[in-house]
């Protein structure tokens, strides 16, 4: 409406000259209005729920920044995560996740279930993740729930997880059964050379935060936003 009024105020013999000026001015006004409206929106709340791959992950800050830039809206990521814990522990932490009232929940809870010394059977792990997904959906019916497969394991930390792929598949199957989203970060790690992978995950389990962010963040931003937001 403002642009139309400006146009009507221009003399007829000058309209060709002013057409481009008015067009650009109107684009600036629309862009400024959209940006202002976006800044006034409440933040998108995300809870990252998992093990040390989340607690020590270091990718959350990058996700906040990149997703906020993509959505043109504030984003806040909180973590409910603890190193060395299993899906059995996660069942006791659901109240903490629910209390955050998140819009999105990112979950990785298979890594320690898969260790031979934790004695969490594949069947038990599958039951646990199913119960976690059911309870979260029951208490947060509008939240997007996204299960994730993280980085590979190697060395001793790989040896104590001989069937980790089966645990990932079991969790993915429970997600599929419920129509829950699944993001697999493993292909991103597989694109690294053996030397790059060894440098990125020096202890065989926990990636360097900057590398984790470089691999995980773009995948999550594109998945959550539903489009490629570029760099």
């Amino acid at each position: 409406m403002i642009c139309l009024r400006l146009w009507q105020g221009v003399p007829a013999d000058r309209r060709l000259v002013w057409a481009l000026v008015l067009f650009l001015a109107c684009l600036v006004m629309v862009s400024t209005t959209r940006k202002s409206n976006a800044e006034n929106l409440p933040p998108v709340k995300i809870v990252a729920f998992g093990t040390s791959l989340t607690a020590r992950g270091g990718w959350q800050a990058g996700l906040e920044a990149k997703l906020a830039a993509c959505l043109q809206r504030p984003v806040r990521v909180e973590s409910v995560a603890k190193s060395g814990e299993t899906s059995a522990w996660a069942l006791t932490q659901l109240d903490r996740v629910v209390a955050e009232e998140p819009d999105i929940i990112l979950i990785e809870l298979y890594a320690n279930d898969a260790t031979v010394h934790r004695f969490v059977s594949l069947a038990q792990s599958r039951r646990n993740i199913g119960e976690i997904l059911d309870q979260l959906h029951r208490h947060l019916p509008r939240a997007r729930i996204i299960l994730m497969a993280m980085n590979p394991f190697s060395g001793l930390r790989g040896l104590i997880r001989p069937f980790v792929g089966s645990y990932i598949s079991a969790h993915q199957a429970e997600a599929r059964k419920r129509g829950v989203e699944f993001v697999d970060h493993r292909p991103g790690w597989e694109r690294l050379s053996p030397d790059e992978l060894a440098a990125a995950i020096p202890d065989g389990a926990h990636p360097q935060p900057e590398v984790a962010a470089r691999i995980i963040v773009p995948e999550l931003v594109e998945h959550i936003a539903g489009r490629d937001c570029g760099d």
Side-chain angles (χ1 to χ4, degrees), residues 4-5 35 66 90 138 188 201 207 211 226:
L4 178 60
R5 289 175 180 173
K35 182 177 180 181
K66 295 290 187 181
R138 187 178 306 122
I201 313 176
V211 185

Side-chain angles (χ1 to χ4, degrees), residues 117-137:
H117 62 286
R118 298 303 171 89
F119 304 107
V120 181
S121 70
L122 183 61
Q124 185 61 57
S125 181
R126 186 164 185 162
R127 285 193 294 270
N128 288 350
I129 196 65
E131 180 64 18
I132 288 165
L133 296 177
D134 288 342
Q135 288 201 38
L136 289 175
H137 180 68

Side-chain angles (χ1 to χ4, degrees), residues 136-201:
L136 289 175
H137 180 68
R138 187 178 306 122
H139 293 289
L140 299 165
R142 297 183 181 179
R144 286 180 69 178
I145 302 174
I146 303 172
L147 252 64
M148 302 189 295
M150 306 299 278
N151 54 275
F153 297 96
S154 63
L156 177 61
R157 286 182 165 91
L159 289 174
I160 64 175
R161 296 174 171 89
F163 306 111
V164 64
S166 297
Y167 282 76
I168 293 172
S169 295
H171 285 211
Q172 184 179 11
E174 291 301 309
R176 187 183 299 116
K177 185 191 301 185
R178 294 163 174 79
V180 169
E181 300 168 59
F182 182 81
V183 172
D184 192 344
H185 298 295
R186 290 174 295 176
W189 293 100
E190 291 167 0
R191 286 191 285 270
L192 300 182
S193 70
D195 288 344
E196 290 172 330
L197 194 60
I201 313 176

Side-chain angles (χ1 to χ4, degrees), residues 32-53:
T32 302
T33 300
R34 286 179 178 174
K35 182 177 180 181
S36 177
N37 290 340
E39 289 174 347
N40 291 329
L41 290 171
V44 175
K45 298 179 183 178
I46 300 176
V47 168
F49 189 24
T51 66
S52 58
L53 301 181

Side-chain angles (χ1 to χ4, degrees), residues 62-78:
L63 178 60
E64 281 187 344
K66 295 290 187 181
L67 187 58
C70 181
L71 299 179
Q72 297 187 341
R73 179 178 177 180
V75 175
R76 190 182 78 223
V77 181
E78 301 290 343

